[in-house]
Amino acid sequence: MSLKASESNAHSIAVTSAEDLKRHLGEIGVDDEEIEKTVDRFLSCTIKLEGVDTRAAHMLKTHVETLGGSLAMRREAHQFTVRDTDVILTASRHALQLLATRLKGEPFGLDVIGTEIVGCLSTGNRIMTWGGRTLDFGRKTYVMGILNCTPDSFYPSSRSATLKDAQKTAHEMIDAGADIIDVGGESTRPGSDPVPQEEEIRRVIPVIQALREGSDVMISVDTRKKEVAERALDAGADIVNDISGLHHGDELARLVARRRVPVVLMHMRGTPKTMQKAPYYKNTISEILRELGPSVAGALAAGIDPEMIIIDPGIGFGKRIQDNLRIIKELASLKSLNFPILVGLSRKGFIGEILDRPVERRLIGTITANTLAVLNGANIIRVHDVADAVEMVTIIDSVRRLGA
């Protein structure tokens, strides 16, 4: 067989975002106005809908296919022998926007589905601004350093037993490039018992005060308790990081709303004491999305600005190994909630089980998993090893900015 050079040099191009496509279009000389018109016609989106009325599914299929897309439903739904069906549809973003418009006023829940489709097309919050602080998620990936003011955190090297130890660790993380220091006074490792609020206050407030006096770094307080969060905010904290997703009490949500600060809402089943007792998921991402819904609804009902919400899928909190891996792989699906995503997987047990490594030898596994998480949509990574994480996100962000 004779081979000859291709005259057109046909080759695939990597397009993972609108920014990628715009760059490629610009490189071939497409004018700016045409680029903006073209992007949504070139980029496609695949969406899963659950529990759709079978009648709605058939109407949806007709609309989608008319617009040049495709739709799949369960086999029984084709013969109308089931009441509802999960649906997967795919089309260009432009077609999906037209679809949402067509669904307005349609029966069988299609009107609501149209609104949900529009939500899936959104890219989520890109800039968060409050009290002189800014998190620009379109500009960079943020590194949150873990400062454990506890005697029993799962990673012994991360424990800061005294105020002096905590200050030393915090300033080492700041010097290494940490964007946020997350101060916690209650270990939430699997099987841990809750800490009385007075003890938690005793552990974290002096640390936050000292940090604020000596640095302008952003500080988050890792707590479920309203009283601890309030004292921490008074001492200079900027963010509340709540592993309970505001399920520990309504008072914390009202405090966050009143103080107008960001809140991290994490997914967890049960409590740290019980969460790893035979956790089970049939569809990990779908269930996390559904179970984060009440947290978000509660935050909004309390008056928290939607621009101040960050979500955390809770890797390692009531999850099996396969659930943690599924979260990392399908993290982009959580973007449909339209909030920035924080991921905390540093040195956790699933990494140790996969690699057969003790906690002290899980750094490479952590960096690898965090790299995948950032590539799949994480905006903030919560880590023990700040210097290594900063190097990792700096490379990723530099590649992303290339040609932007």
Side-chain angles (χ1 to χ4, degrees):
M1 179 184 296
S2 62
L3 298 176
K4 65 177 183 178
S6 165
E7 294 180 0
S8 63
N9 196 26
H11 60 282
S12 301
I13 59 174
V15 177
T16 60
S17 66
E19 288 70 28
D20 286 342
L21 181 57
K22 288 178 181 179
R23 177 173 60 81
H24 284 294
L25 292 171
E27 287 174 353
I28 67 168
V30 180
D31 66 57
D32 292 344
E33 184 178 348
E34 187 63 24
I35 286 175
E36 292 304 321
K37 294 178 181 178
T38 303
V39 168
D40 283 343
R41 297 179 186 274
F42 273 57
L43 291 177
S44 63
C45 186
T46 300
I47 296 172
K48 181 180 181 181
L49 306 168
E50 298 176 353
V52 177
D53 185 297
T54 300
R55 295 166 296 179
H58 279 266
M59 294 178 67
L60 198 57
K61 181 177 175 65
T62 299
H63 283 304
V64 170
E65 292 179 348
T66 300
L67 292 167
S70 299
L71 182 145
M73 65 183 84
R74 63 183 291 188
R75 63 181 69 89
E76 295 88 351
H78 289 281
Q79 286 76 44
F80 288 93
T81 57
V82 291
R83 289 181 177 272
D84 57 60
T85 176
D86 289 353
V87 162
I88 294 177
L89 61 90
T90 186
S92 71
R93 292 172 58 87
H94 176 70
L96 291 171
Q97 289 163 354
L98 292 176
L99 173 65
T101 300
R102 292 187 182 185
L103 295 181
K104 290 180 180 178
E106 292 280 25
F108 314 128
L110 284 170
D111 197 342
V112 174
I113 286 173
T115 301
E116 293 176 344
I117 287 172
V118 171
C120 290
L121 299 177
S122 175
T123 57
N125 295 16
R126 304 313 299 169
I127 300 179
M128 183 176 286
T129 304
W130 77 103
R133 297 292 196 181
T134 298
L135 291 171
D136 184 349
F137 299 111
R139 184 177 66 86
K140 65 172 292 183
T141 305
Y142 291 88
V143 174
M144 174 185 281
I146 301 168
L147 187 59
N148 289 320
C149 302
T150 58
D152 55 347
S153 295
F154 78 93
Y155 179 30
S157 295
S158 73
R159 301 170 188 169
S160 297
T162 67
L163 175 58
K164 185 177 180 180
D165 290 339
Q167 287 181 284
K168 180 176 181 293
T169 300
H171 284 289
E172 287 173 351
M173 291 192 287
I174 294 167
D175 290 342
D179 301 293
I180 308 166
I181 303 296
D182 191 42
V183 183
E186 179 180 60
S187 173
T188 51
R189 73 189 192 286
S192 61
D193 291 310
V195 172
Q197 96 176 17
E198 294 77 12
E199 176 62 15
E200 195 174 339
I201 288 171
R202 186 191 69 79
R203 292 176 180 179
V204 303
I205 300 307
V207 174
I208 293 173
Q209 288 172 333
L211 270 178
R212 181 48 64 235
E213 290 172 4
S215 170
D216 192 44
V217 71
M218 273 188 267
I219 302 170
S220 62
V221 59
D222 181 2
T223 187
R224 297 174 278 176
K225 302 179 181 74
K226 179 260 183 183
E227 292 79 5
V228 178
E230 187 166 30
R231 291 282 298 274
L233 293 172
D234 289 342
D238 304 285
I239 301 168
V240 175
N241 181 10
D242 179 12
I243 66 161
S244 78
L246 297 179
H247 290 309
H248 197 67
D250 296 334
E251 290 184 344
L252 180 55
R254 290 194 290 271
L255 171 69
V256 171
R258 189 167 63 250
R259 301 296 285 267
R260 299 183 182 276
V261 296
V263 62
V264 180
L265 305 178
M266 196 190 79
H267 174 271
M268 174 176 60
R269 286 182 177 174
T271 66
K273 183 74 173 178
T274 63
M275 63 188 181
Q276 288 305 118
K277 293 183 177 179
Y280 175 77
Y281 295 80
K282 183 178 180 181
N283 188 315
T284 307
I285 298 299
S286 293
E287 292 173 51
I288 289 173
L289 282 166
R290 286 190 181 278
E291 291 168 21
L292 277 171
S295 290
V296 172
L300 298 177
I304 295 175
D305 188 332
E307 299 291 321
M308 292 290 105
I309 295 174
I310 300 166
I311 61 166
D312 177 350
I315 290 177
F317 285 81
K319 314 289 193 304
R320 301 164 297 177
I321 293 177
Q322 60 264 45
D323 299 317
N324 295 318
L325 296 177
R326 181 69 63 185
I327 291 168
I328 295 168
K329 184 176 182 178
E330 299 182 16
L331 197 64
S333 294
L334 296 178
K335 288 292 186 181
S336 61
L337 290 173
N338 295 323
F339 300 115
I341 298 173
L342 181 151
V343 166
L345 55 80
S346 184
R347 295 182 180 266
K348 286 189 174 176
F350 80 100
I351 296 173
E353 291 185 58
I354 293 170
L355 300 178
D356 190 22
R357 295 284 188 272
V359 65
E360 294 80 8
R361 296 178 59 197
R362 296 176 189 168
L363 175 58
I364 294 176
T366 295
I367 292 293
T368 303
N370 269 326
T371 298
L372 290 168
V374 172
L375 292 174
N376 290 335
N379 302 107
I380 304 172
I381 54 170
R382 183 177 181 271
V383 300
H384 297 95
D385 308 280
V386 168
D388 301 277
V390 168
E391 288 189 5
M392 181 265 290
V393 300
T394 299
I395 295 297
I396 293 176
D397 289 344
S398 296
V399 171
R400 284 175 167 170
R401 286 193 296 267
L402 185 67

